Amino acid sequence: MRSMLVKSIMLLEEKLITVTPKTSIGRALEIINENNFLSIPVVEGDKFYGTISKERIYAFYFEKCQDKQCFLSDFNVESVMLTNIPTIDLTSEVEEAVRILELRNIAFVAVVDSKGVFQGILTHHAVFEQFTRVFGVNKGHRLAVIAYDVPGQISRLSKILSENNADIISFVVVDPNSVLEVKEIVIRMDTDNIELIKQKVSSAGFKII
């Protein structure tokens, strides 16, 4: 599967709902609740500052404040926001963003250009949505085979599919981390001849799993 760049699946800045560091806590909480969010980016101009979340607001309130109304009106987002959110360049590979999301256990990673200008965010949901699209989840027929990692295997398999009028939706090669030199190939296809194709694939020496 060809590497994909962050910029191809990120949520663009102009489509995001954000607050500034000077937004009051009360207003930030209203925006979060109105949109059923858990957290939102803190942005001013073209600069990304961090994120503000319901969890962060409630924790700060119980730790620092006695009067609820005072807290909501007199404190700003900059007093509560989380600032150590990592950034990634929009030309980075999605795999790098996924690694950051997993290691830091955060809702999103901020995306910036080569000059550090905020461009948007990449979320778990965006990655998962792209993953399901690439694998053609719930579309057509699924065929998974094991093939020896030798030249020409993918061409042979593709030829069998095309000769039997299969319309390929997705074709993904997976390394199963086996000690054997094999690859797992997962195909999604539109076809009326799935049983015949399985027979042909098996006869060609591929192991169907």
Side-chain angles (χ1 to χ4, degrees), residues 146-206:
I146 292 291
Y148 286 103
D149 190 13
V150 295
Q153 292 287 69
I154 292 178
S155 296
R156 289 179 60 227
L157 184 56
S158 298
K159 184 179 180 182
I160 293 171
L161 299 180
S162 63
E163 287 177 346
N164 289 276
N165 301 315
D167 184 11
I168 298 174
I169 299 171
S170 66
F171 196 109
V172 181
V173 180
V174 182
D175 185 352
N177 294 319
S178 170
V179 293
L180 301 176
E181 293 184 349
V182 297
K183 294 289 185 183
E184 181 178 337
I185 304 174
V186 182
I187 309 111
R188 282 274 177 181
M189 70 190 94
D190 280 330
T191 178
D192 295 325
N193 303 311
I194 186 62
E195 294 304 323
L196 176 61
I197 288 174
K198 286 182 178 180
Q199 182 183 343
K200 297 275 189 180
V201 168
S202 180
S203 298
F206 297 95

Side-chain angles (χ1 to χ4, degrees), residues 5 23 35 59 62-63 69 84 97 126:
L5 301 184
T23 302
N35 294 278
F62 285 115
E63 180 183 345
Q69 195 55 47
N84 62 343

Side-chain angles (χ1 to χ4, degrees), residues 58-71:
Y58 293 150
F60 188 89
Y61 169 70
F62 285 115
E63 180 183 345
K64 302 286 186 182
C65 212
Q66 299 270 334
D67 184 87
K68 179 180 178 181
Q69 195 55 47
C70 167
F71 171 66

Side-chain angles (χ1 to χ4, degrees), residues 73-84:
S73 60
D74 292 354
F75 284 89
N76 294 335
V77 165
E78 62 185 349
S79 303
V80 185
M81 66 184 184
L82 190 64
T83 58
N84 62 343

Side-chain angles (χ1 to χ4, degrees), residues 115-159:
K115 296 181 180 180
V117 175
F118 179 65
Q119 301 293 314
I121 63 174
L122 185 64
T123 65
H124 289 273
H125 177 74
V127 172
F128 181 75
E129 191 175 64
Q130 186 61 34
F131 175 84
T132 57
R133 187 177 298 121
V134 168
F135 277 85
V137 174
N138 299 324
K139 294 181 180 178
H141 294 279
R142 179 183 184 274
L143 177 66
V145 303
I146 292 291
Y148 286 103
D149 190 13
V150 295
Q153 292 287 69
I154 292 178
S155 296
R156 289 179 60 227
L157 184 56
S158 298
K159 184 179 180 182

